[in-house]
Amino acid sequence: MIRSIIVDDEPRARSLLENLINNYCSNVEIIATAEDVLSGIKMINLHQPDLIFLDVQMPNYDGFSLLDQFEDKPFKFVFTTAYEEYAQKALDLNALGYLLKPIDIDELVKIVNKYEVNSKKSTQERAIEIEKHIKLNREKGTLVIPCVSGLLNLKLEDILYIKAEGRKTDFFCKDSLKLTSNISLKKCESILKRTPFIRIHK
């Protein structure tokens, strides 16, 4: 599910867009709406959305000002506006889309589908990048794995057991040390073939 926020100063525009999304984009969940840039920033920080539908012209600050508050944008954004003249600036900012009001349903669906395609590509690219760093040295009895804190070099003899935790994997080691890696248990199983480790469950 794509978690989304609508930022628009017009109540009717917010309601209309939310209804269109609910009726034609079943893979999108509107988790919050905001009536101006300041409340939009607050909602983004609070809910950490995947996608933002952002009006351009609003009182006090415009939609571009909202984006300026996030140096590393952990979300994608779509501009929704009645004005064509901001399209080039939106393109320069790498906006996912530019929807002119009144919003065309087909264009809305197309942009949501574009988000899903890009998201799947990003997930695959991250998985490939992660796998590049996984290394097993049988002679030294060590395993290099990517964790939240960076790459860790573990001695196989220090690993007590490995447990699946959703799509991630927890490594339980000596001295009550627990490490979480983004690699799957299935990947661990393939890496640790012909070692003392045997998979008995998840």
Side-chain angles (χ1 to χ4, degrees), residues 40-91:
I41 293 170
K42 182 179 178 180
M43 290 296 103
I44 291 168
N45 288 327
L46 179 64
H47 295 287
Q48 301 294 310
D50 304 311
L51 180 62
I52 298 170
F53 292 91
L54 180 61
D55 188 18
V56 176
Q57 287 198 339
M58 290 180 281
N60 300 321
Y61 304 98
D62 62 21
F64 298 111
S65 300
L66 181 146
L67 297 175
D68 289 340
Q69 302 304 309
F70 298 91
E71 186 173 350
D72 296 319
K73 299 173 182 59
F75 51 80
K76 295 294 183 182
F77 53 94
V78 177
F79 283 106
T80 59
T81 177
Y83 305 94
E84 293 185 17
E85 59 262 36
Y86 302 109
Q88 184 58 51
K89 187 173 182 179
L91 187 64

Side-chain angles (χ1 to χ4, degrees), residues 5-24 30 32-35 53 55 80 101 103 108:
I5 287 177
I6 296 171
V7 183
D8 197 309
D9 64 306
E10 298 179 11
R12 186 174 180 276
R14 292 196 304 271
S15 178
L16 179 59
L17 179 54
E18 187 168 5
N19 286 335
L20 289 176
I21 289 171
N22 289 337
N23 289 324
Y24 297 97
I30 302 300
T33 62
E35 61 186 13
F53 292 91
D55 188 18
T80 59
K101 298 175 182 177
I103 291 172
L108 172 63

